[in-house]
Amino acid sequence: MEQNLTIEQIQDFKGKYPKQLWSLFMVEMWERFCFYGMRGVLTFFMVDQLFLKDDAASLQYGAIQAFVYAFTFIGGIFADKVLGFKKSLFFGGVVMILGNLLIAFSPQTMFYYGIAFSIIGTGFFKPNISSMVGELYHEKDPRRDAGYGMFYAGINIGGLFGGALCIYLGKYHSWSLCFLAAAIVMILGLITFLYTKKNLGPIGNSPLLELPAQKRKIREIAVYAGSVLSIPLIFIMVKNTSYTDYFMYTIGAVAIGYFIFELIKLGEISLQKKLFAAFIFIFCYFLFMAIFEQSGGSLSLFAKDNLKSSLLFFQIDPNIVNNSSNTFFVIVFSPLAGLLWLWLANKKIEPNTIIKFGIGFLFLAASFFIFYYTRFFVDENGKTSLNIFTLAYLVTTLGELCLGPIGMSIITKLSPKKLFGMMMGLWFLASAFGQLAAGKLGAEMSKSNTGSSLLSKLQSYTDGYYQLAIYALIAGVGLIVLSPFVKKLMQEVK
């Protein structure tokens, strides 16, 4: 029997976490398995199976990832205005499954078609779970950060297994099996959602419930049809990365214009200041992702050719380490980071969110200095230490933990409830531009390699990592210096 829970009953939960968090955690875990599994094989597959050169694969990777995250912005708006989070999520999941099944059927010939489906599907799926987590809490509930922290760990359990399993199946068994595994786990995610969505009460229902059912249905069908009809267009744009640039710059200008329109429409100066502060966090996230997202691009190609396969006392494929070490370290250190912030808060010395972002960039800078440092452990074959490479990922993860989990939470705290979907969309759009920039930065690294040996490849890539370390260091110091100004904009929000 359907439980007609009210929003008040859901938000009036005892203990640390609302029970609905666990089902959303499971659904997102399976989706992240699918997403990280796909992301981890993209550049490797394009170089190994589609015979693209490293720089072309990096640009293609940036384009695909940019589209995935750009469509979360569009999907977030349609969920806000037409479908509601529940229908949006179900539609997105079905389209993602179809995309993976297409590629599994014939990886080399159907790759770009399947990717076009996956882009649309992820766009409708991804922003909505995060928004629903925010709605489980009262606006002033201090437990919200802990909820997002736990949710973030769930995302990464899926990422850990997806990142390891898909590249393993592709490299050592078959690429069809790799993409089929991604489809199967997505089916598990959708089944979980269908069985547990009744516990969400009114959260995620259609925003058009006051309209007559017929009118509502027409608008919903228009969204579904428009999405499916845009798939051939996405296919063309992903294959030709110069089209991606035009699309991204257009959507970027439209998104900022729409944000400014909503900002002015708020009318109240204190709300406007908070929303502007949220935008600053979103811009910082873009900068962070441009550097951090080398993991799926240049670092994946670096792992493919330039790393030995011994990690401590084990023999392990370097691409499995590249795909899974970040998520493994998030799972291990995420609870510890949460406890550290709580301990500092009890001592009244917890840094504010903007300082945490600054610290995140300093860790990111340190990690890319370590990636650069791998050049000092290289042998005559151009292969270097997997141990040093993995240490760099540990430091990267500590940086990510300073802003990843709290980033989503601070956006929902600073935004009026009616703009949650748009602001979550902007958060993912910042990631889209970060992915695009990451692909371009990775392509520049491989272009700077004028030799044909693995040694010259290692030198050009590590030179690039040194440059990225400098950029991250400047950003981190700049943020810490600007923190008093941003704190004023945030007002009472911590």
Side-chain angles (χ1 to χ4, degrees):
M1 198 177 98
E2 283 275 310
Q3 289 180 33
N4 294 315
L5 289 170
T6 65
I7 193 85
E8 289 75 23
Q9 286 172 316
I10 291 168
Q11 292 179 346
D12 185 29
F13 62 92
K14 304 288 178 274
K16 203 170 180 187
Y17 305 107
K19 65 173 186 177
Q20 291 81 0
L21 184 69
W22 304 112
S23 53
L24 293 177
F25 172 107
M26 290 297 292
V27 176
E28 182 73 343
M29 183 182 81
W30 291 122
E31 188 271 338
R32 291 289 86 186
F33 184 115
C34 173
F35 178 82
Y36 276 97
M38 288 283 285
R39 169 185 174 269
V41 302
L42 284 176
T43 47
F44 189 100
F45 179 84
M46 289 186 284
V47 169
D48 194 57
Q49 296 291 306
L50 305 181
F51 310 115
L52 268 62
K53 288 205 163 57
D54 280 12
D55 59 331
S58 282
L59 284 175
Q60 205 81 67
Y61 168 80
I64 291 167
Q65 289 289 93
F67 272 115
V68 164
Y69 281 90
F71 271 85
T72 56
F73 175 69
I74 296 167
I77 290 173
F78 280 128
D80 262 358
K81 306 287 183 194
V82 183
L83 297 179
F85 297 142
K86 286 175 183 164
K87 284 181 178 168
S88 181
L89 185 145
F90 183 73
F91 172 65
V94 169
V95 177
M96 282 173 82
I97 291 163
L98 290 174
N100 283 305
L101 289 175
L102 266 180
I103 308 177
F105 176 71
S106 178
Q108 287 79 3
T109 52
M110 300 305 286
F111 179 73
Y112 288 111
Y113 295 101
I115 288 293
F117 271 81
S118 293
I119 285 167
I120 287 284
T122 311
F124 276 93
F125 190 102
K126 190 167 165 40
N128 301 312
I129 290 256
S130 313
S131 300
M132 285 196 272
V133 169
E135 288 207 43
L136 298 175
Y137 296 87
H138 284 296
E139 282 181 26
K140 293 188 168 62
D141 193 328
R143 296 172 291 183
R144 186 188 296 224
D145 278 11
Y148 269 108
M150 182 54 69
F151 180 65
Y152 201 68
I155 289 173
N156 283 283
I157 292 168
L160 172 69
F161 293 115
L165 186 68
C166 290
I167 192 79
Y168 172 77
L169 290 173
K171 271 179 106 164
Y172 300 107
H173 293 281
S174 90
W175 287 104
S176 286
L177 206 53
C178 159
F179 293 106
L180 183 62
I184 290 167
V185 295
M186 200 59 224
I187 292 168
L188 287 174
L190 270 196
I191 292 169
T192 306
F193 178 68
L194 288 174
Y195 272 95
T196 58
K197 67 175 183 173
K198 64 179 183 294
N199 296 325
L200 291 166
I203 292 173
N205 286 346
S206 170
L208 303 177
L209 287 175
E210 76 289 345
L211 279 184
Q214 188 64 27
K215 271 191 176 175
R216 193 166 70 238
K217 200 159 235 106
I218 288 167
R219 291 192 193 182
E220 286 171 4
I221 290 167
V223 171
Y224 299 144
S227 306
V228 172
L229 289 172
S230 66
I231 288 172
L233 188 65
I234 293 165
F235 170 80
I236 293 163
M237 288 194 286
V238 168
K239 270 203 104 170
N240 303 285
T241 51
S242 56
Y243 291 159
T244 310
D245 292 354
Y246 298 134
F247 173 81
M248 288 301 294
Y249 300 146
T250 305
I251 197 173
V254 169
I256 289 172
Y258 184 58
F259 169 78
I260 292 166
F261 168 73
E262 291 286 7
L263 184 75
I264 293 165
K265 209 169 96 176
L266 278 175
E268 198 181 316
I269 212 103
S270 71
L271 290 177
Q272 288 173 330
K273 281 182 178 174
K274 284 184 198 169
L275 205 62
F276 186 64
F279 189 80
I280 292 172
F281 284 110
I282 286 167
F283 182 74
C284 294
Y285 188 56
F286 152 68
L287 293 178
F288 190 89
M289 293 306 281
I291 300 170
F292 175 80
E293 270 303 325
Q294 295 305 314
S295 53
S298 70
L299 285 168
S300 176
L301 298 174
F302 186 77
K304 173 177 169 284
D305 293 327
N306 290 107
L307 291 176
K308 295 171 186 168
S309 54
S310 56
L311 178 63
L312 299 176
F313 316 109
F314 311 101
Q315 290 297 306
I316 187 165
D317 185 284
N319 279 100
I320 290 177
V321 174
N322 179 66
N323 287 3
S324 295
S325 51
N326 170 239
T327 48
F328 172 75
F329 290 135
V330 167
I331 294 160
V332 173
F333 289 99
S334 190
L336 297 175
L339 290 171
L340 174 66
W341 299 136
L342 284 173
W343 182 77
L344 291 172
N346 288 334
K347 298 273 179 197
K348 305 271 190 289
I349 50 170
E350 185 189 7
N352 64 45
T353 308
I354 196 75
I355 298 269
K356 286 180 185 173
F357 266 57
I359 295 168
F361 273 99
L362 297 182
F363 273 117
L364 187 67
S367 71
F368 273 84
F369 276 123
I370 299 169
F371 282 128
Y372 162 72
Y373 201 66
T374 56
R375 67 172 13 190
F376 300 111
F377 292 83
V378 70
D379 62 16
E380 66 280 0
N381 302 316
K383 291 192 180 275
T384 186
S385 166
L386 185 56
N387 291 323
I388 303 294
F389 183 84
T390 310
L391 173 65
Y393 260 118
L394 168 59
V395 179
T396 297
T397 305
L398 297 177
E400 185 194 353
L401 288 174
C402 290
L403 65 126
I406 57 169
M408 284 183 185
S409 179
I410 198 71
I411 298 304
T412 57
K413 282 182 191 172
L414 289 166
S415 311
K417 189 166 169 292
K418 62 178 179 177
L419 296 179
F420 269 16
M422 180 194 81
M423 294 307 286
M424 272 298 164
L426 271 180
W427 176 259
F428 292 122
L429 192 59
S431 190
F433 276 95
Q435 311 278 352
L436 190 69
K440 289 184 184 301
L441 290 166
E444 288 307 312
M445 283 181 217
S446 47
K447 276 183 195 161
S448 69
N449 177 16
T450 50
S452 56
S453 69
L454 289 183
L455 204 56
S456 68
K457 177 180 176 177
L458 179 132
Q459 284 172 333
S460 64
Y461 273 65
T462 51
D463 280 344
Y465 299 146
Y466 183 81
Q467 288 297 317
L468 294 181
I470 299 289
Y471 298 151
L473 183 62
I474 293 166
V477 172
L479 275 174
I480 291 166
V481 169
L482 282 173
S483 64
F485 165 71
V486 182
K487 210 174 156 192
K488 272 187 186 161
L489 290 174
M490 291 167 68
Q491 297 151 77
E492 80 286 355
V493 176
K494 293 285 182 284

